[in-house]
Amino acid sequence: MKLVAIIYALSWLILLILYICSLFGKNKTTSNTYAPKNNLTSNTDAPWYIYAIMIGFAPITVLLIPYILWDSWKEDREIKRKRKEEELREKEEQDRREQALNRLEKSKQDQPGSISNEYVDIAQALNQAVREKSYDSIQTIMDKIVTPEYSKLIVQECDECGSDIGDISKLAIRFKSGQIEYDVFDRLRFEDSCSGAWQAYLLHQLWHSLPLFWHADYFRRDYLFSKDDFASVKHWADDDAFPDLSNMDLTPTVIKTGDFYSISACYWSEFEGLIREYVELRFDDGKLTEFVNFKEDTLYKYKCEIYF
């Protein structure tokens, strides 16, 4: 409505200026003692196009008002539609998280969770490869993952020369032809087992551990699978003030309930502290089709005083 009022006011302001100009011209001509008094072509009257514009502009302005009102109504309706879709999506996500939590609570009564030293060894080997930037070994370590034929899983490190305020490193699939695809989970296939789910989880969260640039460092995580992993955590603040967390239980868990896998593991964040996260995932013919973070427990709260 404000836009309508502005356009309407401007239109009539233009008409008013034109009218005043015509009056000024008329008065100036009338004051001229040598001006002919009975000449039909004299300047005592405003030019014909002044009145044509005045008559023409008013209807056009009026005709524009319904369109502006309709356009404003359409825009409001689109905003409401998007807001409703967002609310529906948030409700669906909340329901999905609650379902995952309920499945986990029920499954705990029947099974403690499948975990072995092999799971920890794979996770630590992956962490070591990332620290050493030995990205070529990732595909060898993750033995429950199948890449498309004539392709290779690679890492493209973050761009530190871009104009943006930060960047993340990305997993990608490079084909023999040179083509590169970044939607890796659309192309990768996993073994439908607890071990396959564990490796899918590790790969999905790997971007937190890969090189990050500038503001993206807020998302950096050091995943911890045993007390030995504390030694590899690099603290940005004073190390002397850092607490001893070696007695914390960092044991990851993997539980299968029907078609779903519930996984929990711990990570350290300089902006959150020690966190145990819970996710639920599902495969469809080996493809990772669902991945839901449904719970986080803060085991030790911490926040460094560094800002980007």
Side-chain angles (χ1 to χ4, degrees):
M1 292 302 295
K2 184 184 292 185
L3 181 61
V4 173
I6 292 173
I7 294 175
Y8 193 80
L10 288 175
S11 299
W12 281 107
L13 180 61
I14 293 171
L15 297 178
L16 180 60
I17 292 172
L18 291 173
Y19 178 70
I20 292 173
C21 289
S22 69
L23 289 179
F24 178 77
K26 181 178 179 180
N27 292 336
K28 183 177 180 181
T29 305
T30 303
S31 64
N32 190 343
T33 58
Y34 295 100
K37 295 182 179 180
N38 295 317
N39 191 341
L40 293 176
T41 61
S42 69
N43 291 330
T44 55
D45 294 325
W48 65 269
Y49 60 83
I50 295 292
Y51 295 104
I53 293 174
M54 292 176 67
I55 294 171
F57 265 50
I60 291 173
T61 303
V62 172
L63 289 173
L64 282 174
I65 291 175
Y67 169 76
I68 295 170
L69 289 172
W70 174 81
D71 188 62
S72 178
W73 170 80
K74 190 174 74 169
E75 184 178 355
D76 290 341
R77 188 179 66 172
E78 182 66 15
I79 292 173
K80 290 179 181 179
R81 184 187 66 81
K82 290 182 178 180
R83 185 182 298 121
K84 187 175 181 180
E85 288 180 353
E86 182 65 23
E87 291 174 353
L88 180 60
R89 184 162 52 250
E90 289 177 358
K91 185 179 184 304
E92 290 175 348
E93 291 176 357
Q94 180 60 32
D95 291 342
R96 181 70 180 83
R97 288 191 292 267
E98 290 177 358
Q99 293 170 7
L101 182 59
N102 291 336
R103 272 190 288 267
L104 176 62
E105 296 299 328
K106 290 180 180 179
S107 63
K108 281 182 177 179
Q109 301 174 4
D110 303 325
Q111 52 181 322
S114 173
I115 194 65
S116 67
N117 291 334
E118 179 186 0
Y119 287 30
V120 174
D121 291 343
I122 289 174
Q124 290 176 334
L126 182 63
N127 278 355
Q128 184 66 21
V130 169
R131 285 193 294 269
E132 296 176 353
K133 297 188 176 183
S134 302
Y135 304 132
D136 289 342
S137 63
I138 292 178
Q139 196 165 330
T140 303
I141 295 169
M142 313 292 270
D143 60 344
K144 305 301 180 184
I145 298 175
V146 178
T147 58
E149 191 175 13
Y150 305 117
S151 70
K152 183 179 181 179
L153 187 65
I154 65 171
V155 171
Q156 284 199 344
E157 289 194 349
C158 55
D159 181 9
E160 298 187 2
C161 299
S163 59
D164 211 345
I165 61 172
D167 193 29
I168 66 173
S169 297
K170 305 174 185 68
L171 290 170
I173 295 176
R174 183 172 60 206
F175 291 85
K176 190 175 181 179
S177 63
Q179 176 189 357
I180 294 179
E181 290 192 14
Y182 295 97
D183 295 329
V184 296
F185 292 100
D186 284 341
R187 305 302 301 267
L188 294 177
R189 295 298 180 265
F190 299 85
E191 181 181 277
D192 196 347
S193 64
C194 288
S195 182
W198 174 243
Q199 294 189 21
Y201 164 76
L202 293 176
L203 197 65
H204 190 280
Q205 303 299 78
L206 188 62
W207 71 275
H208 291 286
S209 305
L210 292 171
L212 301 171
F213 172 59
W214 201 3
H215 285 266
D217 269 315
Y218 284 119
F219 303 102
R220 181 175 301 281
R221 297 176 181 178
D222 289 294
Y223 276 88
L224 309 170
F225 308 102
S226 74
K227 63 180 181 181
D228 296 334
D229 294 322
F230 278 114
S232 62
V233 177
K234 294 181 179 179
H235 305 295
W236 298 346
D238 186 3
D239 288 351
D240 294 334
F242 192 75
D244 181 12
L245 302 175
S246 59
N247 292 327
M248 289 284 188
D249 181 14
L250 305 176
T251 306
T253 61
V254 181
I255 301 175
K256 183 176 182 180
T257 306
D259 295 331
F260 295 92
Y261 295 91
S262 294
I263 299 173
S264 76
C266 296
Y267 67 82
W268 174 262
S269 166
E270 293 287 276
F271 300 95
E272 297 178 85
L274 183 60
I275 307 294
R276 178 175 286 274
E277 70 174 353
Y278 296 81
V279 308
E280 185 178 73
L281 58 85
R282 186 171 72 88
F283 298 122
D284 186 2
D285 291 332
K287 181 180 178 180
L288 181 63
T289 55
E290 290 189 49
F291 191 99
V292 179
N293 287 78
F294 65 89
K295 184 183 177 184
E296 284 189 352
D297 289 335
T298 302
L299 306 182
Y300 183 86
K301 191 173 183 179
Y302 178 84
K303 185 176 181 179
C304 72
E305 297 301 324
I306 295 177
Y307 300 93
F308 299 101

